Amino acid sequence: MSSTEKVAALVRLGQYLTSNDPALLAVKERAYQANGWFTPEFIDLAISQIAENFLEAAHLNSWINAYPELTKNKPARTVGIVTAGNIPLVGFHDWLCGFVSGHNVRLKLSSKDVILMQHVLDKMKEWHPEWAEQTTVQDMLKNCDAYIATGSNNSSRYFEYYFAQYPHIIRRNRTSVAILTGEETPAELEGLADDISIYFGLGCRNVTKVFVPEGYDFSLLLEAQKKYSYLADHNKYKNNYDYNLALILLNNSPYMSNESMLLQEAPHIFSPISVLNYGYYTDKDTLAAELQANTALQCLVGRGFTPFGTAQQPSLTDYADGVDTLEFLSKL
């Protein structure tokens, strides 16, 4: 199939995903019932982001044209992709890269995000049955020519072992951090609240720690975070909040809080659900250099970095872990 045909199919998919088609509405409801973290609000947000940033014709053409290897008539390989399931349709970009590359994609979907992704694949097969065999869902990924796997630090060790002899991309735990100066506007802090709390903070692009100068006024940050006070009404999130608050109190640790977020000083850039870690800095440039050298960092948010409020709006070229997936696939 030509790149023109691929782009047309993907644009149609984007239009469908933003429609009120009864089948799509039913699938979204089923996905929420199967995974309580996939609320209707966050499912719609994930779908909207994919449709607007990934599935517009101009974006797709510009992206594909940047990889001349894709136009060469090379034999298709079989690529096994192990997806994550922390946020809705988080494996979509990997599948998209596989589809655009022309390789045969074998997907092992996370049990947490089967329904939405399977529906996307089913619609593509319904519209283009001639492409049906290019992507298949499998429980076991054997005899593939290359692998892309996303998981925890623990599971990545197994992936490294099993896929060592094949070309591969193995992704591990990552998270995002923000650097604040104390001069942020209310709109910027509201954007930071999005970066922290969208998808309940479960994504690798969610901010889990902020660095602030000495004397920083945290009341402004806590006030902006009240935008997401309603998360405390979600039973899974509230259970995490209560559990982490109990740990803080048992350890007699100092903390700040509002209705939905616990703020504590901690050295780690990773934080539990409902907790935002913070730390102090003296030199912004030195701190930024140290953070950007940290292999566990996905996004650095702040003035001069990823703009506030956009961490969960990646473009087609914002590859997970900074590894160019499409380049990897185009050179197989």
Side-chain angles (χ1 to χ4, degrees):
M1 83 191 77
S2 68
S3 62
T4 301
E5 292 173 310
K6 294 174 188 175
V7 168
L10 292 168
V11 169
R12 181 181 182 183
L13 177 62
Q15 294 168 345
Y16 170 75
L17 288 175
T18 52
S19 73
N20 290 318
D21 189 288
L24 177 62
L25 297 178
V27 163
K28 290 194 286 188
E29 176 61 26
R30 284 175 51 216
Y32 173 47
Q33 295 301 323
N35 184 344
W37 292 112
F38 287 12
T39 61
E41 173 194 1
F42 289 148
I43 288 176
D44 286 342
L45 186 64
I47 286 176
S48 174
Q49 187 278 320
I50 286 171
E52 293 175 12
N53 295 339
F54 293 175
L55 301 179
E56 292 284 349
H59 296 327
L60 286 163
N61 284 318
S62 176
W63 181 48
I64 293 171
N65 290 339
Y67 297 85
E69 289 282 335
L70 295 177
T71 63
K72 296 181 180 179
N73 188 21
K74 298 193 297 185
R77 304 293 185 180
T78 300
V79 180
I81 299 178
V82 181
T83 68
N86 49 321
I87 67 175
L89 291 171
V90 69
F92 182 88
H93 190 269
D94 279 341
W95 168 78
L96 179 62
C97 289
F99 176 76
V100 166
S101 72
H103 293 305
N104 298 312
V105 177
R106 303 294 174 255
L107 282 175
K108 178 173 173 52
L109 298 176
S110 168
S111 60
K112 299 176 182 178
D113 189 20
V114 172
I115 294 170
L116 292 170
M117 195 65 209
Q118 186 65 64
H119 185 66
V120 167
L121 300 176
D122 289 344
K123 293 307 293 186
M124 292 292 282
K125 292 177 182 179
E126 175 188 326
W127 297 331
H128 304 282
E130 68 276 16
W131 302 346
E133 295 306 312
Q134 186 187 348
T135 300
T136 58
V137 176
Q138 300 179 349
D139 291 329
M140 297 289 289
L141 300 180
K142 294 184 177 180
N143 303 316
C144 295
D145 299 306
Y147 290 91
I148 299 171
T150 303
S152 65
N153 289 347
N154 187 49
S155 62
S156 70
R157 289 193 287 269
Y158 292 97
F159 294 148
E160 289 282 6
Y161 175 78
Y162 287 114
F163 304 149
Q165 61 184 309
Y166 305 96
H168 61 264
I169 296 175
I170 307 298
R171 305 199 186 99
R172 299 165 179 79
N173 289 344
R174 285 207 171 201
T175 192
S176 300
V177 169
I179 298 178
L180 306 182
T181 66
E183 299 175 351
E184 287 75 23
T185 65
E188 287 175 319
L189 290 177
E190 185 171 321
L192 177 60
D194 295 338
D195 298 329
I196 294 167
S197 295
I198 283 175
Y199 307 126
F200 299 101
L202 290 168
C204 65
R205 301 181 69 89
N206 283 109
V207 169
T208 53
K209 182 169 184 175
V210 295
F211 284 92
V212 299
E214 292 289 344
Y216 181 79
D217 181 3
F218 286 99
S219 65
L220 300 175
L221 176 59
L222 288 167
E223 183 64 29
Q225 192 63 31
K226 288 183 178 179
K227 176 181 181 180
Y228 286 94
S229 293
Y230 70 91
L231 295 186
D233 297 327
H234 187 275
N235 66 314
K236 288 178 175 287
Y237 186 87
K238 186 61 163 57
N239 288 341
N240 279 270
Y241 181 96
D242 291 343
Y243 174 77
N244 288 311
L245 176 58
L247 288 180
I248 290 172
L249 294 175
L250 283 171
N251 291 324
N252 200 29
S253 301
Y255 73 98
M256 293 169 275
S257 68
N258 58 23
E259 295 88 340
S260 63
M261 186 179 72
L262 299 163
L263 194 60
Q264 67 171 357
E265 186 174 4
H268 316 292
I269 63 171
F270 290 91
S271 67
I273 295 171
S274 78
V275 178
L276 178 67
N277 291 344
Y278 71 86
Y280 294 99
Y281 71 89
T282 54
D283 185 270
K284 179 181 176 183
D285 293 337
T286 300
L287 171 63
E290 291 173 353
L291 289 170
Q292 289 169 328
N294 189 331
T295 57
L297 183 75
Q298 187 68 51
C299 296
L300 181 56
V301 174
R303 291 182 176 179
F305 308 108
T306 299
F308 293 107
T310 67
Q312 289 293 352
Q313 300 173 27
S315 70
L316 284 166
T317 56
D318 286 324
Y319 296 102
D321 291 20
V323 178
D324 191 325
T325 313
L326 193 52
E327 181 181 29
F328 168 78
L329 292 172
S330 70
K331 294 182 176 179
L332 288 178

